[in-house]
Amino acid sequence: DSYAKMKSGTLVDLVHPCSNFWKIMVDEGMVQPLDTSKISNWKDVNPALALQGQFNGKQYWAPWDWGFESILVRRDLVQNVPTSWADLWNPEYKGHIALYDSGETAHVITALALGFTDPWSTTPEQDEQIRQKLLELMPNVLTVWSSQTELEQMIASGDVWVAASAWNASYVNMVDQGLDVVYIDPAEGRGGYLCGFAIPTTSTNVDLALAMIDAYLAPASQAKLANDYGYGIVNTAAIPLVNQTTADLLSLNDQNIISRTIFYKYLTPEQRDS
């Protein structure tokens, strides 16, 4: 929506899409490089996440929030807890799986289930295998979810046993409700999203936008994002302010968690339109 509105001429001073749109917006000249010297909290931003916002040697994006897309399971309702994306096809879960309403996500998890290690570089032949494999999954699918609240209600009611591509925030919320849930680290790897801020080239309030980014990156702001909403954060100085239970659930103290997560890559125009 942000991309479409900006392309249609809507003027804004700050934009917050996720990383699969970052390169497109840079290539199309929609956003400008950031002067990180004016962002006091930049020094504490995780370098691996900051790197994903760099293009042509310049920092265009300030990462702010990230999270997993993985398999959330009502452990008390299944006999066998899945250990991989490929296990979604287990007939035991027939009629009790929720899929995320995203063609890209469905492509990614099915590619991983088929052993394709880079879902963004599949061949036409592999794409057809993915399509057929998804059709085979349909008998197991109860619903396609688009709202986090909707998904959590279905998990809590027991209608959904296995939620595919669920966000870590839902895991935290279900744990807080006392439900017997487990958040899988699939054998093929967890998916991951990374979102952040950029300043459009049409902005007339660049310094104010930079100040806003700085405020979003402040340790107290980042800790609130983790504690209240269960999101991953980018400011390493904020980690001591996150309550220990949440830090453990999100693996914030695991220095290798970023490298083990399969973050969404940028889409080509052809992939975006397909």
Side-chain angles (χ1 to χ4, degrees), residues 221-259:
S221 300
Q222 285 270 280
K224 184 173 179 61
L225 180 66
N227 289 328
D228 290 6
Y229 300 101
Y231 278 82
I233 55 179
V234 304
N235 188 334
T236 56
I239 294 176
L241 303 179
V242 178
N243 71 63
Q244 192 58 51
T245 300
T246 301
D248 290 343
L249 286 175
L250 300 179
S251 304
L252 294 181
N253 293 312
D254 182 351
Q255 297 302 307
N256 297 314
I257 195 68
I258 300 301
S259 63

Side-chain angles (χ1 to χ4, degrees), residues 162-184:
V162 179
S165 305
W167 303 326
N168 42 280
S170 290
Y171 174 46
V172 172
N173 289 340
M174 296 295 93
V175 170
D176 288 345
Q177 291 182 33
L179 293 173
D180 184 11
V181 293
V182 59
Y183 198 49
I184 307 303

Side-chain angles (χ1 to χ4, degrees), residues 138-154:
M138 288 305 102
N140 281 9
V141 175
L142 170 67
T143 188
V144 175
W145 68 274
S146 58
S147 157
Q148 180 181 328
T149 301
E150 171 195 11
L151 177 65
E152 291 173 7
Q153 289 172 345
M154 291 187 292

Side-chain angles (χ1 to χ4, degrees), residues 45-113:
V45 172
N46 184 303
L49 296 175
L51 183 62
Q52 296 194 41
Q54 292 181 16
F55 297 92
N56 308 315
K58 297 178 180 178
Q59 191 76 45
Y60 282 87
W61 298 91
W64 182 60
D65 55 319
W66 62 269
F68 302 117
E69 288 189 355
S70 195
I71 306 171
L72 181 58
V73 183
R74 276 288 299 263
R75 184 163 36 193
D76 56 327
L77 298 179
V78 301
Q79 292 183 346
N80 298 289
V81 174
T83 60
S84 74
W85 290 109
D87 288 340
L88 293 177
W89 282 259
N90 185 336
E92 176 189 341
Y93 311 134
K94 184 177 181 178
H96 292 284
I97 284 180
L99 284 184
Y100 181 36
D101 186 15
S102 164
E104 181 183 5
T105 299
H107 175 93
V108 169
I109 66 174
T110 308
L112 293 173

Side-chain angles (χ1 to χ4, degrees), residues 121-140:
S121 299
T122 50
T123 66
E125 291 76 15
Q126 290 171 332
D127 290 342
E128 179 58 24
Q129 292 180 56
I130 291 168
R131 190 181 75 85
Q132 290 297 329
K133 186 73 172 174
L134 275 171
L135 290 173
E136 294 170 11
L137 181 60
M138 288 305 102
N140 281 9

Side-chain angles (χ1 to χ4, degrees), residues 19-36:
S19 58
N20 50 348
F21 272 83
W22 286 2
K23 187 176 187 297
I24 293 171
M25 296 178 77
V26 170
D27 287 348
E28 296 188 5
M30 299 172 67
V31 293
Q32 60 184 281
L34 298 174
D35 183 353
T36 56

